[in-house]
């Protein structure tokens, strides 16, 4: 039978009065519509008339034909409406392109309708702050300089008189909903509301969605249902999907192995990931988390780690303490290990305020005298120091009733339970985590001192900006390692520090000894402010202020007795520099405590209207109230920002207000709106910072859109720069999207925008080694503007931290670029400063730390985000650079057993050893480069003889390289060194042959060969070893063993396993501290010896010798050479009395060198009062970046 080729005759039947002819025409067209739709389209009106005729028997068939016609016309909304009218004739199981398109549109329509029926509840407790904020600022608007400070404009996207029912920064299309209206709001491009109100259509739509869900259930594809339910805000469907998955698993429905089926635990983990990473509306996220909590508690064997995630985000401290109590009271070793692991996770992911409340609510023993003190500083946690938190929802009240134990009730506990609760209290305080991280960084320190020494020799220490740069590089390289020997070995260089350089150097001790809780106060004791005694010299105010700052960094985000110590010095201080350092120290140590007393002390200093103090105090006020959304604090800071005339104070207050709104999301919309409308560019700058910190890590579309708009429209270069930079804070969870977004901005005519693009890449892609980001940053290294080059270098170092050539072949080139910028005599001072800081960042923490703005469990890393935000303000004030150390995260795996001891065990890495190995040291490469240049100069003989000489010298170099590498722990470093020598040498030979053919003179040939060889080495050396490296990697055996407390990079975690049958981890291996259960507890176990405390004891014994000697050198008023000589005398005496013989190993010497000896010997240098005109050796204070070259004068 010949197929139908034309619809001309068939469509004529549609107008016939005979019903049978009309039905025949519709049936024929339905079968052939894909090929005849162009002829049928003009008659679609008649088909619609048949569908609307209620007496027509085949209305559904007419609707199906009309749907197919509109589908081919690409009118998908109309097609969906008629497909719904087709009823059961529309077969969702058919699987054609038409059916898939209609189903997709049905899902979108279902999501929109369901979202309109389930708007956010504006009365949620989490959303009260914005409404109060608008009321609080109403009185300010009358007297403020800007009429927009009232924050009530309904036209701005971040401001409404009341909190909107949906987050304004969450979805692609913004809409305003009237809660009292029953008519859905029409979105752009959506179907008109009149069509959505058709009950029969909605009924059919729900029928199709239910059929789709059931088909997903039958096939075990629960994630599709979960995704639709979350986006539609339909928590009933979400609950149904989770329960259905659990029931199907219990019945063993998919036990025969359906690939798409998954366990209910995995599905719950997926829902958590979606909730934390995809859902942008805070209220909806809280509702989903509470739903997950209800379901998890109903499971016989609940996933406590998932519960802990929900509890931490919801800030339910009572639920957290109850869960820990239940686990401890089970008296099961595995349950106890799980409790310890949860406590460690809570410390990594919570604020000090939350942790303090959890500690206070843990069961107290009946006999306090028989209990081990839970913390070393229990007085900081005394009851009554903070007002009790009141339950605000039904769920929390039910939990308290179910627990049956009021807060703070004393219980009769077993000795094992008392010990467990004491250990949990110590963990929640952070003492155990900090000590173990300090031990890891100390024992695995791989800092390449040759880089630091070359950096010191290349930069003139008499210029304060260069002295500060070397100090910061040293601090970052040794962050957390307690290795301050660079100061001890370079006392003469250190003596050139004056004024703020001395402040920076003293504060650098806090970066180096960060986490040294047991000895931090003792190390800084000689630097701290002393009471004024008549006729006595109390030391330099700069070192005193720097010491308070350093003390805060040592105890950062760890509320201990140090906070009271800093506060005491701060209240007694009268000099501006000491107050400045004390404020920064208070902010770092008291981060997120919400302490009203400290806040009032800071505010009192703020009202003195000192520009120097005001900036630090404003930042400190924000750090103390971090993330609290405190209305009173915001009101005070906002008012004073308009009253003061000092830009530095306004800038500090702007950043402080942004810190208070950390993580508040839509709760910060009111404040953002008011700040962005202010005529003062500094407050608009603060508005952008507020937006960045409030929505950090959310990938909010509306926030990104607002930042991009400001980046190209604001009149202030500072505001445009911070707007582009803030993209990194918003999108750091999606680093791959940032290079594409800032690609055009990186080529902007405005250098401030280019700098912001570079820093945005560095912040969002930190530690990833992302090629797309590097490709954008490499051209910016040669930018004509100095501060753009500075930002590009810093961003590259942040991206390349802990990268080796096996992971990213460009890392060698980038390291050479950083060193080249330092040695270039014609490079600008700002670029050299950026290069020096970058060299410290790329080797942060002894090459054992990375930069990560989220924790190992995927939550926001509050301290890291805050540290990065304050670090970016180094643009205005160099001492704020130290805050970057808060973003350094040790990359370790530290296994602890249920006794919280470090067992000696091994875990397996299923990779080649060189893939995640330490980068090679630079010292051997530098010597080889010098030797190669000399070889090229001496090659002036005939070609054959010269080739023979080169081969002979090449063989000697290979043997020398092999002899020089025993100090390196692995052979891969030696391979790197030898390859860097071999390959460029061969290229030099080829270049020389080409030049010899073109020149007649042997001398000219030699000179040309030397120049060509040097340039060839620079351009090819980094890429030459790569093919050889790959060949050698292929020969390596896949898989090797790692000792406990070893460096494990984040990308390496997925290859880690525990083959030891005795120790089993309680959860999937993640970075950081990991609890393991001992299957053979009765047998003797081997423990790792903790080395970090040993050198401290040695240094303590030597303190009476070193500290007075250094102080005597200072009091003698000697010149810069005296401290160096005194240091050598101290070293000789220290060697003699410390028991180190001539045969002492390098490791033993390093142990003695660490532990604060450098800090003690530097006392005499850093505490000396700067006096002009004595010896003429004091460093000048340069102008604003006037330095151009090393003694050659300005060349601009």
């Amino acid at each position: 039978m010949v197929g139908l080729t034309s619809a001309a005759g068939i469509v004529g039947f549609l107008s016939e009065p005979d019903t049978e002819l009309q039905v025949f025409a519709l049936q024929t067209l339905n079968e052939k519509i894909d090929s005849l739709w162009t002829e049928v389209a003009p008659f679609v009106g008649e088909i619609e008339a048949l569908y609307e005729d209620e007496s027509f028997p085949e209305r559904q068939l007419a609707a199906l034909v009309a749907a197919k016609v509109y589908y081919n016309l690409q009118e998908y909304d109309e097609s969906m409406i008629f497909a719904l009218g087709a009823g059961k004739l529309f077969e969702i199981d058919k699987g054609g392109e038409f059916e898939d398109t209609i189903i997709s549109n049905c899902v979108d329509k279902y999501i929109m309708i369901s979202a309109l029926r389930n708007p956010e509840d504006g009365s949620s407790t989490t959303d009260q702050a914005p409404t109060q904020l608008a009321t609080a600022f109403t009185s300010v608007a009358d007297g403020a300089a800007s009429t927009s400070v009232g924050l009530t404009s309904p036209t701005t996207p971040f401001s409404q008189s009341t909190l909107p029912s949906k987050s304004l920064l969450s979805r692609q299309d913004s809409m305003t909903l009237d809660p009292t209206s029953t008519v859905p709001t029409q979105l752009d491009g959506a179907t008109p509301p009149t069509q959505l109100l058709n009950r029969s259509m909605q009924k059919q739509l729900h029928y199709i969605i239910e059929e789709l869900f059931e088909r997903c259930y039958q096939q075990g594809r629960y994630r599709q249902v979960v995704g639709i339910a979350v986006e539609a805000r339909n928590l009933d469907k979400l609950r149904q999907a989770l329960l259905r998955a659990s029931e199907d698993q219990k019945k063993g429905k998919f036990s025969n192995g359906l690939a798409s089926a998954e366990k209910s635990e995995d599905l719950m983990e997926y829902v958590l990931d979606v909730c934390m990473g995809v859902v942008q509306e805070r209220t909806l996220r809280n509702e989903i988390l509470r739903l997950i909590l209800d379901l998890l508690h109903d499971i016989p064997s609940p996933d406590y780690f998932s519960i802990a995630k929900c509890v931490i985000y919801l800030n339910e401290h009572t639920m957290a303490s109850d869960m820990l109590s239940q686990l401890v009271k089970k008296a099961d070793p595995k349950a106890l290990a799980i409790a310890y692991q949860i406590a460690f996770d809570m410390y990594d992911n919570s604020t000090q305020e939350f942790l303090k409340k959890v500690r206070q609510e843990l069961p107290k023993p009946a006999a306090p005298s028989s209990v081990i003190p839970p913390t070393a500083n229990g007085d900081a946690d005394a009851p009554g120091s903070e007002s009790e938190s009141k339950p605000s929802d039904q769920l929390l009240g039910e939990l308290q009733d179910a627990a049956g134990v009021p807060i703070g009730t004393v219980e009769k506990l077993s000795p094992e339970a008392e010990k467990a609760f004491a250990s949990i209290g110590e963990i929640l305080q952070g003492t155990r985590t900090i000590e173990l991280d300090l031990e890891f960084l100390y024992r695995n320190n791989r800092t390449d001192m040759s880089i630091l020494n070359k950096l010191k020799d290349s930069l003139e220490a008499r210029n304060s900006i260069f002295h500060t740069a070397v100090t910061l590089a040293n601090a970052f390289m040794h962050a957390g390692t307690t290795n301050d020997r660079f100061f001890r070995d370079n006392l003469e260089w250190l003596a050139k520090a004056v004024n703020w350089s001395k402040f920076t150097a003293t504060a650098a001790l806090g970066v180096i000894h960060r986490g040294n809780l047991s000895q931090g106060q003792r190390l800084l004791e000689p630097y701290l402010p002393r009471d004024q005694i008549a006729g006595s010299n109390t030391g330099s105010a700069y070192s005193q202020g720097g010491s308070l700052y350093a003390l805060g960094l040592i105890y950062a985000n760890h509320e201990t007795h140090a906070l009271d110590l800093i506060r005491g010095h701060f209240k007694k201080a009268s000099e501006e520099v000491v107050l400045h350092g004390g404020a920064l120290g208070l902010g770092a140590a008291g981060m997120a405590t919400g302490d009203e007393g400290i806040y009032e002390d800071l505010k009192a200093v703020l009202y003195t209207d000192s520009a120097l103090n005001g900036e630090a105090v404003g930042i400190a006020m924000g750090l103390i109230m971090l993330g609290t959304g405190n209305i009173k604090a915001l009101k005070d800071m906002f008012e004073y920002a308009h009253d003061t005339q000092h830009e530095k104070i306004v800038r500090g207050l702007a950043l402080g207000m942004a810190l208070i709104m950390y993580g508040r999301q839509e709760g910060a919309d009111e404040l953002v709106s008011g700040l962005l409308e202010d005529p003062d560019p500094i407050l608009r700058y603060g508005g952008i910072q507020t937006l960045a910190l409030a929505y950090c890590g959310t990938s909010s579309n509306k926030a990104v859109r607002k930042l991009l708009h400001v980046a190209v429209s604001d009149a202030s270069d500072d505001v445009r720069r911070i707007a582009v930079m803030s993209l990194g804070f918003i999108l750091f969870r999606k680093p791959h999207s940032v290079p594409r977004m800032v690609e055009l901005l990186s080529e902007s005519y405005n250098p401030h925008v280019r700098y912001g693009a570079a820093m945005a890449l560095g912040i969002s892609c930190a530690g990833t080694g992302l090629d797309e980001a590097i490709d954008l940053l490499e051209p910016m290294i040669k930018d004509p503007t100095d501060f753009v080059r500075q930002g590009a270098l810093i961003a590259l170092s942040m991206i390349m931290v802990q990268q080796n050539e096996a992971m990213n072949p460009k890392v060698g080139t980038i390291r050479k670029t950083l060193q080249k910028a330092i040695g270039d005599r014609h490079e600008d001072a700002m670029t050299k400063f950026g290069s020096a800081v970058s060299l410290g960042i790329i080797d942060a923490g002894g090459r054992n730390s990375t930069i990560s703005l989220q924790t190992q469990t995927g939550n926001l890393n509050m301290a890291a985000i805050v540290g990065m935000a304050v670090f970016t303000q180094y643009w205005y004030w160099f001492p704020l650079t130290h805050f970057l150390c808060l973003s350094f995260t040790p990359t370790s795996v530290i296994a602890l057993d249920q006794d919280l001891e470090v067992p000696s065990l091994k875990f397996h890495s299923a990779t080649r050893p060189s893939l995640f190995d330490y980068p090679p040291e630079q010292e051997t490469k530098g010597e080889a480069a010098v030797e190669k240049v000399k070889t090229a100069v001496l090659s002036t003989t005939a070609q054959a003889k010269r080739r023979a000489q080169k081969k002979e010298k090449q063989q000697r170099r290979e043997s020398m390289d092999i002899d020089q590498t025993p100090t390196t722990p692995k052979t891969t470093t030696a391979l790197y060194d030898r390859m860097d020598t071999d390959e460029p040498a061969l290229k030099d030979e080829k270049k020389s042959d080409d030049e010899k053919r073109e020149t007649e003179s042997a001398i000219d040939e030699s000179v040309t060969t030397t120049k060509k060889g040097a340039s060839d080495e620079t351009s090819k050396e980094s890429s030459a070893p790569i093919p050889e490296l790959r060949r050698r990697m292929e020969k390596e055996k896949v898989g090797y063993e790692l000792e406990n407390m070893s460096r494990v990079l984040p990308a390496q975690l997925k290859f880690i396993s525990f083959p030891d049958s005795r120790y089993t981890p309680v959860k999937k291996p993640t970075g950081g501290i990991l609890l393991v259960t001992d299957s053979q507890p009765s047998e003797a176990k081997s423990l790792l010896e903790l080395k970090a405390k040993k050198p401290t004891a040695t240094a303590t014994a030597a303190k009476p010798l070193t500290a007075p000697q250094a102080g005597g050198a200072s009091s003698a008023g000697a010149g810069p050479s005296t401290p160096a000589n005194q240091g050598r005398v101290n070293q000789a005496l220290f060697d003699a009395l410390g028991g180190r013989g001539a045969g002492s190993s390098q490791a033993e010497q390093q142990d003695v060198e660490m532990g604060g000896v450098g800090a003690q010997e530097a006392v005499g240098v850093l505490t000396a009062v700067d006096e002009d005109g004595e010896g003429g050796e004091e460093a000048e204070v340069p102008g604003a970046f006037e330095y151009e070259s090393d003694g050659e004068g300005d060349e601009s």
Side-chain angles (χ1 to χ4, degrees), residues 368-391:
S369 59
S370 62
V371 181
I372 301 174
T375 60
N377 53 327
D379 55 344
D381 302 329
S385 61
E386 189 171 335
S387 59
E388 297 293 340
S389 176
K390 297 181 179 180

Side-chain angles (χ1 to χ4, degrees), residues 738-753:
V738 180
R740 183 178 65 254
M741 186 171 297
V742 302
E743 182 176 3
L744 293 179
L745 294 174
S746 66
E747 301 174 358
S748 170
Y749 72 94
N750 191 324
H752 292 267
V753 174

